[in-house]
Amino acid sequence: MKRITLNYTLIITFFLMLIVIGCKKDEQPTIPVLLSVEPSSITDISAISGGNITSDGGAIITIRGVCWGTNPLPTINNSKTLDGTGLGSYTSIINGLQPGTTYHLRAYATNSVGTGYGADILFSSTTTTPILTTVVVSTITAETASSGGVITSDGGAEVTSRGVCWGVNQNPTIANNKTTNETGLGSFTSNITNLLPNTTYYLRAYATNSVGTSYGNEITFTTFAVMDIDGNGYYSISIGTQVWLVENLRVTHYRNGEPIPNVTDNTQWNNLTTGAYCYKYNETNVEAKLGFLYNWYTIADSRNLCPIGWHVATDAEWTTLVNYLGGNSVAGGKMKETGTAHWWSPNTDSDNSSGFTAVPAGQRSPDGSFYFGNACFWTSTSENATNARSWFLSPNDTSVTRYYDFKGSGFNIRCVKD
């Protein structure tokens, strides 16, 4: 009887073992089980979170991290981190957030079966001051200019004020002069007024939200000393007791707005006894710095060439300038633009230490022919019925030479302040 009972016991044990083994063979891996870690060290653009994988689901964890988005239950199809493999805890560094934005976040882990997620956690990035750039200053005159800014981020809070600020010192703020140009993100244009002539300014775009005010990159610009009737701007330089324009005149109208004839025909030019101008070699695309060539009759015209407050320099004023710079033999080197961008080589000993910045725009003879290489300037001083005083600078030495020439010649003009 005992033997029969023992046999039954063995048989039952054997079948139980088969059942257990069969059950184990039927077990299949599952997706991982994990917890999401509450975000910390939150800034306007970043945060720290992570996860804790408590079960790999019976298969190796091949990737893990956190995923996030602005909608509930984000997945790995949203933004995510990649933080290694395996079970246990891990840390995730989250970057690329937008300021002042509410996000949903979940830890995730992936094995051969699929991806498991932790709980959905809600957090918000912090707000900060806006991010913006300054627009290049343009449309500069003696008293006005135009600029603006581009606000690419409001910092997570509404931009309540924006514009540009400026001053004569670096890093201007809204405590200095400023414009106010509406609110919000995006581009804006600022019209700057009440500037001083021939003055260097520093300018920055600004934007303000509830956190504070931030600034764009700083831009430097200089207003013109004066504008002519055509809207051309000119800078000026003080040399001794005089103030000179540092550019050749390029106006096409008299001060009252009436046009100065542009004469290209050689015969017509030769027969002129009234004012006219031309371009170097009659080229219409002459660089502004070279200015235009005028016959002397434009200077004698009562309608005036130079802007209000300025006049064509007399022979005496040229003499004062040259004497202040050391005399005829050396003054030219101090007056000429350096280098050979405009002057022919060798442009001997030119240093432009005076700031006059003479450039060679050449000349037009009374017969209409052109010559290039020298800088030739009229004065307003008449020598006689057919000639007037002029001054020449050459690329070959440091001198400046006083001449008198036929009034029908075409030379450059420099204005001096009244």
Side-chain angles (χ1 to χ4, degrees), residues 40 70 81 105 201 215 222 239 280 319 349 398 415:
S40 62
T70 55
T81 64
L105 175 144
Y201 288 97
Y215 298 91
T222 302
I239 307 175
K280 177 175 70 74
T319 301
D349 294 330
T398 60
C415 301

Side-chain angles (χ1 to χ4, degrees), residues 332-333 336-337 343-350 358 360 373-377 391-401 403:
K336 292 188 294 180
E337 178 190 68
W343 285 99
W344 289 343
S345 181
N347 196 17
T348 305
D349 294 330
S350 62
N374 296 322
C376 312
F377 297 97
W391 292 76
F392 283 60
L393 293 88
S394 164
N396 299 315
D397 54 45
T398 60
S399 68
V400 55
T401 306
Y403 285 98

Side-chain angles (χ1 to χ4, degrees), residues 314-358:
T314 65
D315 185 55
E317 287 171 320
W318 270 91
T319 301
T320 298
L321 169 67
V322 171
N323 288 341
Y324 177 79
L325 296 177
N328 295 66
S329 63
V330 297
K334 299 176 183 179
M335 295 169 65
K336 292 188 294 180
E337 178 190 68
T338 59
T340 55
H342 295 100
W343 285 99
W344 289 343
S345 181
N347 196 17
T348 305
D349 294 330
S350 62
D351 61 18
N352 197 33
S353 56
S354 70
F356 187 86
T357 318

Side-chain angles (χ1 to χ4, degrees), residues 202-381:
Y202 299 89
L203 176 143
R204 297 193 292 177
Y206 76 87
T208 302
N209 65 9
S210 58
V211 179
T213 300
S214 57
Y215 298 91
N217 51 298
E218 183 175 83
I219 292 177
T220 304
F221 72 100
T222 302
T223 53
F224 290 113
V226 68
M227 310 296 292
D228 66 26
I229 191 69
D230 292 336
N232 300 308
Y234 303 85
Y235 295 109
S236 67
I237 187 74
S238 295
I239 307 175
T241 58
Q242 300 171 312
V243 181
W244 291 80
L245 295 186
V246 297
E247 296 161 276
N248 298 336
L249 200 65
R250 57 184 187 276
V251 70
T252 62
H253 293 79
Y254 290 105
R255 191 186 289 174
N256 67 356
E258 294 178 4
I260 305 168
N262 173 214
V263 177
T264 59
D265 180 76
N266 288 351
T267 301
Q268 185 181 356
W269 179 271
N270 190 45
N271 292 329
L272 287 169
T273 56
T274 56
Y277 80 95
C278 64
Y279 307 106
K280 177 175 70 74
Y281 297 124
N282 286 324
E283 299 168 346
T284 57
N285 60 342
V286 172
E287 182 182 353
K289 191 171 189 177
L290 297 179
F292 302 154
L293 302 176
Y294 300 86
N295 67 17
W296 190 84
Y297 303 114
T298 55
I299 299 172
D301 196 297
S302 62
R303 290 173 289 181
N304 294 309
L305 271 177
C306 293
I308 295 173
W310 299 76
H311 61 273
V312 178
T314 65
D315 185 55
E317 287 171 320
W318 270 91
T319 301
T320 298
L321 169 67
V322 171
N323 288 341
Y324 177 79
L325 296 177
N328 295 66
S329 63
V330 297
K334 299 176 183 179
M335 295 169 65
K336 292 188 294 180
E337 178 190 68
T338 59
T340 55
H342 295 100
W343 285 99
W344 289 343
S345 181
N347 196 17
T348 305
D349 294 330
S350 62
D351 61 18
N352 197 33
S353 56
S354 70
F356 187 86
T357 318
V359 290
Q363 64 191 90
R364 190 177 191 184
S365 297
D367 64 6
S369 56
F370 289 91
Y371 299 91
F372 186 75
N374 296 322
C376 312
F377 297 97
W378 277 126
T379 77
S380 62
T381 303

